[in-house]
Amino acid sequence: MTDRTHGARLLPWAGPDGKRCYLVTDGTGYLSRLADDIESVQLGMAAELLGHAADMLADRRVTTGQLRYLLARMSEALTDVHRIAESRGARLPATDGAHLGTAGDAVL
């Protein structure tokens, strides 16, 4: 059997006192699947907020209080999305950088 452990995974939720939670696993266990499901929900909620924000910004009757509430929810969603991106980026295979271009180049 091969060892599939890729290091610690940053989980999509905070631990006690708001500290980061990590999971060391092969990526196939219950907590890994739970983390995948929670990330999916968080990304879906962020997408819905973007749509809601577009609607609110197009409505001239929106109040300052409504915009502040939206901004607070979007800040929470951006925090979640940032954590997901950081977690997924950390799990990408390492590269030697030889194929990377210079600033302004697209890397595919």
Side-chain angles (χ1 to χ4, degrees):
M1 180 190 292
T2 53
D3 180 13
R4 292 183 41 183
T5 302
H6 299 288
R9 173 185 180 169
L10 176 61
L11 294 173
W13 58 78
D17 301 322
K19 294 183 180 180
R20 294 169 162 235
C21 289
Y22 291 90
L23 176 66
V24 178
T25 180
D26 66 359
T28 62
Y30 171 77
L31 284 177
S32 290
R33 290 189 305 276
L34 178 62
D36 291 341
D37 291 344
I38 289 174
E39 284 181 356
S40 180
V41 168
Q42 289 172 327
L43 291 171
M45 291 172 62
E48 287 181 26
L49 272 171
L50 286 172
H52 191 57
D55 292 343
M56 287 183 76
L57 291 171
D59 185 353
R60 299 269 182 208
R61 297 170 294 155
V62 173
T63 67
T64 301
Q66 290 170 316
L67 288 174
R68 289 181 62 81
Y69 182 81
L70 174 66
L71 183 58
R73 303 297 71 81
M74 291 189 80
S75 177
E76 292 166 355
L78 183 58
T79 299
D80 291 340
V81 170
H82 183 265
R83 184 182 302 127
I84 292 167
E86 185 177 350
S87 176
R88 291 183 179 182
R91 288 181 277 147
L92 290 174
T95 63
D96 62 8
H99 69 281
L100 298 177
T102 60
D105 289 346
V107 178
L108 303 175

